[in-house]
Amino acid sequence: MAETKLTMDKIVNLCKTRGFVYPGSDIYGGFANTWDFGPVGVELKNNVKRSWWKRFVQESPDTYGVDAAILMNPRVWEASGHVQSFGDPKMDCKNCKQRFRADTLIEAHSKGTVAAEAMTDEEMEAYIAEHDVKCPHCGVRNWTPIRKFNPMFVTSRGTLESDADKVYLRPETCQGEYVNFLNVQRTARAKVPFAIAQIGKSFRNEITPGNFLFRTVEFEQMELQMFCREEQSMDIYADYKAKALKYIEDLGLKAENLRYHDHDKLAHYAKAACDIQYNFPMGWQELNGIHHRGVWDLSRHQEYSGKSMIYIDPFTNEKYIPNVIEYSIGADRLTLALLCAAYEEQALDGGETRVVMHFHPAIAPYKVAILPLQKNLAESAKAVYAKLSKKFMCDYDEAGSIGKRYRRQDEIGTPFCVTVDYDTATDGCVTVRDRDSMEQIRIKIDEVIPYVDERIQFN
Ligand code: GAP
């Protein structure tokens, strides 16, 4: 197997040419930090979201799903602290006028070895001066002091664009889980400990260059809040650290490219916080977070809404505001990590190289590609496609040599290619080729569905 260095450019290029992800508003020259998922990418990301929902909602009897509105009462963002203090530390380059986040400049300069989120603004300014951190755009060091920048997008409802009509595009999905704590607890008759989960879009006016899907202005989060008693909260926190790691390893991220990063500096209300970092082509970066948030969120919503968030234990009659353990992961950021992990340039006998995406079959965009050996077998191949596509997302391809068609499917990570040949009409069999081993077996058409089904499960 050839060892080649993976770069983000290779991933971006494959994504664009194979229909995973295109630049946003491409025909207008793009739109910074926005990306559009193409026919293959939308399947991949949907499968990633499904795998998370299956693991953390479907298979977790204590977890309830919601889909809350993106636009929320503006008081929510006062209660959460986003209006007053959700501020990124920005610096402008006085030479080329580009804007950057001081913490990401430091993390990029130190290749992820310095945890800038634990630094004060003064410490970050001192680090940048001491280590001569230059503008990544023009290469000059001529920075403004750090200023705070609120990355919430503001819009307005109604016809007047006054302050009274101001609403925010949510910068995180979890507030939709906190504000539904009482609704879910009552309607699901949920008993503490229980969790509320959702998957949805969030928006942040990010000023830092995004590294493809890593940091975008519009992205999807998969978030879960576990409401629990204080005495059990540290065990539940440890449990989610383990569950979060297991989930991404099960999806195909290698243990050697994953590490815990426990936070040294905590928010005043937090009891513990940890990121799981992935070794992306640009270095170690946060993939997801697990936070012990104490009673902060529910207490703040109680204060700002005037509604009691007190839970009454049905067995002991004890009354208390539950602690919250939050587990949060970006669907786009995870998709990027999985694209990086899946990519391989493989040297084949005869000097040929194939690019193959080794996705876990459960998240592969297409499970099966149906290929007639020759175009005149199209009719019987289409009949196989009609049968299999009732069960799985399938691709159909009759253009070019069979070898080229296999390569195309390897590049989009299709785990199985089913070839219909001249014997199919007489023996009722097709050839099934495995993406990773390239081995081929011949089985009855009726056996294809159970054969594939058994191999694409995510457990
Ligand atoms: N509710 C907690 C919260 O939002 P966060 O660390 O700001 O915490 C959680 O975000 C996760 O969301 C991150 O670990 C990352 O996976 C993803 N994420 C955050 N900002 C992002 C962005 N601009 N683009 C893509 N994903 C992002």
Side-chain angles (χ1 to χ4, degrees):
M1 248 173 241
E3 272 295 318
T4 48
K5 187 170 162 43
L6 179 62
T7 61
M8 196 60 93
D9 282 349
K10 281 187 183 173
I11 296 292
V12 175
N13 192 33
L14 177 99
C15 281
K16 181 159 186 189
T17 53
R18 291 292 166 252
F20 283 99
V21 182
Y22 315 119
S25 316
D26 201 9
I27 59 168
Y28 288 91
F31 190 52
N33 294 344
T34 67
W35 299 92
D36 295 343
F37 284 80
V40 182
V42 70
E43 296 301 330
L44 175 66
K45 189 160 75 145
N46 281 343
N47 291 339
V48 170
K49 290 188 283 180
R50 262 184 222 119
S51 72
W52 188 86
W53 197 262
K54 179 172 185 284
R55 176 69 59 94
F56 290 99
V57 180
Q58 185 180 323
E59 295 174 3
S60 303
D62 56 5
T63 303
Y64 304 89
V66 294
D67 182 13
I70 288 175
L71 299 178
M72 303 183 79
N73 188 313
R75 292 277 286 163
V76 167
W77 306 110
E78 290 171 31
S80 69
H82 286 83
V83 172
Q84 304 87 327
S85 65
F86 190 55
D88 290 338
K90 76 170 170 66
M91 294 177 99
D92 292 324
C93 171
K94 289 196 227 163
N95 187 50
C96 69
K97 313 292 178 228
Q98 294 284 316
R99 179 168 287 178
F100 297 91
R101 274 173 59 163
D103 52 346
T104 43
L105 282 174
I106 293 171
E107 274 156 18
H109 180 269
S110 68
K111 297 200 167 45
T113 55
V114 173
E117 94 275 334
M119 293 170 137
T120 62
D121 289 356
E122 292 70 33
E123 285 165 348
M124 285 195 275
E125 282 173 351
Y127 181 99
I128 284 168
E130 217 169 281
H131 293 83
D132 195 21
V133 179
K134 297 194 171 74
C135 169
H137 188 248
C138 69
V140 170
R141 181 165 69 83
N142 188 9
W143 298 109
T144 62
I146 291 177
R147 278 171 291 194
K148 290 292 187 198
F149 170 80
N150 192 324
M152 275 205 294
F153 281 106
V154 183
T155 184
S156 56
R157 73 177 291 167
T159 49
L160 297 173
E161 280 188 31
S162 70
D163 263 8
D165 296 308
K166 213 175 184 184
V167 288
Y168 301 97
L169 295 189
R170 67 180 177 201
E172 57 179 9
T173 56
C174 59
Q175 299 302 328
E177 295 160 4
Y178 300 134
V179 301
N180 280 300
F181 166 68
L182 294 175
N183 283 336
V184 172
Q185 192 272 316
R186 285 177 191 150
T187 54
R189 291 173 294 123
K191 291 180 189 61
V192 166
F194 75 94
I196 304 182
Q198 79 166 324
I199 299 177
K201 286 249 171 170
S202 293
F203 303 83
R204 294 184 196 172
N205 194 357
E206 298 281 8
I207 51 173
T208 312
N211 269 319
F212 192 32
L213 301 176
F214 181 81
R215 184 173 285 111
T216 52
V217 292
E218 179 184 335
F219 53 98
E220 281 182 277
Q221 289 184 305
M222 309 191 283
E223 296 202 290
L224 177 153
Q225 316 299 316
M226 174 62 95
F227 303 98
C228 57
R229 295 170 67 93
E230 189 179 359
E231 309 85 271
Q232 59 195 172
S233 61
M234 281 318 282
D235 287 345
I236 290 177
Y237 171 73
D239 193 34
Y240 271 98
K241 275 177 70 170
K243 281 181 176 166
L245 185 65
K246 179 159 185 346
Y247 165 65
I248 48 186
E249 282 183 351
D250 287 351
L251 272 187
L253 301 187
K254 291 206 178 99
E256 71 249 33
N257 287 326
L258 291 165
R259 69 182 185 194
Y260 286 122
H261 165 62
D262 291 304
H263 292 206
D264 302 325
K265 196 175 141 193
L266 298 174
H268 66 89
Y269 51 80
K271 297 198 181 133
C274 172
D275 300 333
I276 297 178
Q277 296 182 332
Y278 181 68
N279 192 9
F280 286 95
M282 68 282 188
W284 289 95
Q285 296 282 346
E286 173 186 336
L287 177 57
N288 67 204
I290 303 104
H291 300 129
H292 187 322
R293 302 183 55 87
V295 293
W296 170 256
D297 304 281
L298 291 184
S299 305
R300 291 281 287 189
H301 285 302
Q302 173 168 282
E303 185 187 337
Y304 279 73
S305 69
K307 292 275 181 315
S308 169
M309 294 290 159
I310 289 177
Y311 172 76
I312 306 174
D313 189 300
F315 305 111
T316 63
N317 237 6
E318 212 181 327
K319 298 185 178 77
Y320 61 93
I321 294 183
N323 276 239
V324 166
I325 306 301
E326 174 180 66
Y327 159 44
S328 174
I329 181 162
D332 309 79
R333 198 172 284 187
L334 176 57
T335 301
L336 175 62
L338 292 163
L339 281 160
C340 297
Y343 187 95
E344 190 192 0
E345 286 171 20
Q346 223 176 47
L348 303 177
D349 296 342
E352 217 194 319
T353 303
R354 72 163 183 155
V355 171
V356 54
M357 299 298 282
H358 296 285
F359 296 124
H360 186 301
I363 59 161
Y366 300 112
K367 308 303 177 212
V368 186
I370 293 98
L371 317 171
L373 190 62
Q374 300 286 340
K375 275 196 180 148
N376 58 4
L377 292 162
E379 204 181 319
S380 38
K382 280 181 183 165
V384 175
Y385 174 87
K387 190 179 167 87
L388 299 186
S389 61
K390 289 204 187 311
K391 179 80 181 164
F392 313 114
M393 196 71 204
C394 296
D395 196 12
Y396 175 84
D397 188 5
E398 58 178 39
S401 74
I402 194 75
K404 285 216 172 85
R405 282 181 276 162
Y406 283 154
R407 294 288 169 274
R408 276 204 289 269
Q409 295 302 327
D410 291 341
E411 288 184 4
I412 58 173
T414 309
F416 302 105
C417 285
V418 166
T419 305
V420 174
D421 59 29
Y422 290 105
D423 294 329
T424 303
T426 46
D427 66 4
C429 289
V430 286
T431 302
V432 180
R433 173 203 184 252
D434 182 278
R435 172 196 69 196
D436 299 331
S437 66
M438 294 189 282
E439 273 165 19
Q440 303 191 4
I441 56 160
R442 202 163 168 81
I443 59 175
K444 292 272 181 213
I445 294 172
D446 285 347
E447 291 166 11
V448 176
I449 288 181
Y451 179 87
V452 173
D453 207 28
E454 200 189 311
R455 287 162 177 79
I456 61 169
Q457 297 306 322
F458 178 66
N459 291 315

